[in-house]
């Protein structure tokens, strides 16, 4: 079976540090079959999605909630409380268009995610605590809890971590990539990847990861660029 080569990954993630790419390759090569990354097609779909969150430097991300008042009003909470969108969202200088006040990201997370995805209400701080992290943006206490369970299945050699207690780990290597592997498999994405290399196949996977994302086109472009680079 062809293993993942960090030099090959460098073509897909040109801004990434060489050692970091080697570490990623070593991590995934531990068991490509178990991780659902044992074919070129599966890898291309996986890395197309990962690139949207990790960028060309392949770095695990913590969700940004630096939204404008206009953008916030698309969230159900702020639709009901439009005045709070103005106070919580960022403010721009009308002449230079530069941000002169960042959004209150903690307040936004607690309000937008409060009472959803297994989180307690806004006052509990769960929205901020369990905001999106990792290469497939695990979001919400329910999903962090599910990750605890799937992690034991795929990483039975390392079961000492509780991501509900320590959610910040998902913003760090190797947990950023391991959480993506867990999501990839627990949501049946290897089988979806096997369906083909057409744009609709990429969209089907994107819809499972984040149905309402505005980045479908970017993920299709990622796949189109990455697939020819892999062997």
């Amino acid at each position: 079976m062809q293993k993942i080569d960090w030099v090959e990954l460098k073509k897909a993630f040109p801004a990434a540090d060489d050692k970091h790419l080697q570490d990623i390759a070593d991590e995934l090569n531990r068991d490509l079959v178990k991780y659902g990354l044992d074919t070129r097609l599966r890898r291309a779909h996986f890395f197309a999605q990962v690139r949207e969150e990790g960028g060309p430097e392949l770095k695990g991300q913590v969700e940004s909630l630096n939204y404008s008042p206009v953008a916030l009003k698309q969230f159900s909470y702020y639709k009901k409380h439009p005045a709070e969108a103005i106070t919580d969202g960022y403010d721009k200088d009308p002449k230079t268009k530069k941000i002169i006040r960042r959004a209150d990201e903690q307040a936004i997370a607690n309000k937008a995610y409060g009472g959803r995805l297994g989180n307690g209400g806004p006052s509990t701080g769960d929205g901020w605590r369990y905001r999106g992290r990792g290469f497939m943006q695990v979001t919400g206490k329910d999903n962090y809890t599910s990750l605890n369970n799937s992690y034991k299945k795929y990483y039975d050699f390392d079961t000492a971590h509780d991501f509900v207690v320590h959610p910040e780990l998902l913003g760090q290597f190797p947990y950023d990539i391991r959480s993506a592997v867990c999501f990839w498999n627990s949501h049946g994405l290897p089988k979806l990847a096997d369906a083909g290399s057409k744009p609709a196949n990429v969209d089907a996977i994107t819809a499972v990861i984040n149905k309402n994302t505005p980045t479908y086109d970017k993920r299709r472009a990622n796949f189109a660029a990455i697939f020819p680079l892999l062997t």
Side-chain angles (χ1 to χ4, degrees):
M1 181 191 306
Q2 182 74 28
K3 289 197 169 185
I4 295 171
D5 186 337
W6 78 265
V7 176
E8 200 170 72
L9 287 183
K10 185 74 173 182
K11 299 173 185 176
F13 300 94
D17 177 77
D18 292 356
K19 183 182 183 303
H20 180 57
L21 289 176
Q22 181 68 70
D23 290 342
I24 291 283
D26 290 344
E27 177 64 39
L28 297 177
N29 284 331
R30 191 191 305 274
D31 197 332
L32 291 171
V33 174
K34 187 176 185 179
Y35 300 160
L37 297 170
D38 49 328
T39 69
R40 176 188 174 212
L41 186 57
R42 288 180 172 189
R43 293 174 194 176
H45 277 293
F46 179 82
F47 285 117
Q49 297 293 333
V50 162
R51 195 183 193 284
E52 191 52 40
E53 303 299 348
E57 64 279 351
L58 193 55
K59 287 292 186 181
Q61 298 295 312
V62 179
E63 181 180 12
S64 170
L65 292 129
N66 190 34
Y67 289 110
S68 69
V70 172
L72 283 179
K73 289 176 184 177
Q74 304 306 308
F75 289 81
S76 58
Y77 176 90
Y78 287 101
K79 284 180 181 178
K80 298 175 183 176
H81 306 86
E84 293 179 39
I86 297 171
T87 57
D88 293 348
Y90 65 67
D91 190 21
K92 281 186 176 181
D93 184 292
K95 292 183 178 179
T96 65
K97 304 301 180 183
K98 291 183 178 180
I99 293 177
I100 56 176
R101 186 195 71 221
R102 283 186 60 84
D104 187 340
E105 296 187 56
Q106 187 165 344
I108 290 169
N110 288 330
K111 292 173 182 178
Y113 293 138
R116 300 173 53 231
L117 304 171
N119 296 330
S123 64
T124 66
D126 281 352
W128 178 249
R129 187 174 300 112
Y130 301 113
R131 64 195 185 278
R133 293 184 178 89
F135 288 126
M136 290 194 182
Q137 292 288 281
V138 177
T139 308
K141 190 174 183 179
D142 278 350
N143 288 318
Y144 278 79
T145 301
S146 294
L147 175 62
N148 272 348
N149 297 327
S150 59
Y151 189 84
K152 294 172 185 176
K153 177 179 179 180
Y154 296 102
Y155 299 97
D156 54 0
F157 59 87
D158 178 33
T159 58
H161 304 292
D162 186 332
F163 300 112
V164 173
V165 176
H166 297 290
E168 71 280 356
L169 288 175
L170 297 195
Q172 307 167 18
F173 179 82
Y175 307 105
D176 48 9
I177 195 71
R178 289 182 182 178
S179 65
V181 167
C182 290
F183 188 100
W184 177 253
N185 286 280
S186 62
H187 288 79
L189 297 182
K191 292 259 175 131
L192 281 183
D194 292 342
S197 58
K198 294 180 179 179
N201 301 122
V202 181
D203 288 350
I205 292 173
T206 301
V208 174
I209 295 172
N210 186 351
K211 184 177 181 180
N212 297 316
T213 182
T215 63
Y216 279 83
D217 57 340
K218 293 181 180 179
R219 294 169 197 251
R220 289 193 296 268
N222 288 345
F223 180 85
I226 290 172
F227 190 37
L229 301 177
L230 304 184
T231 58

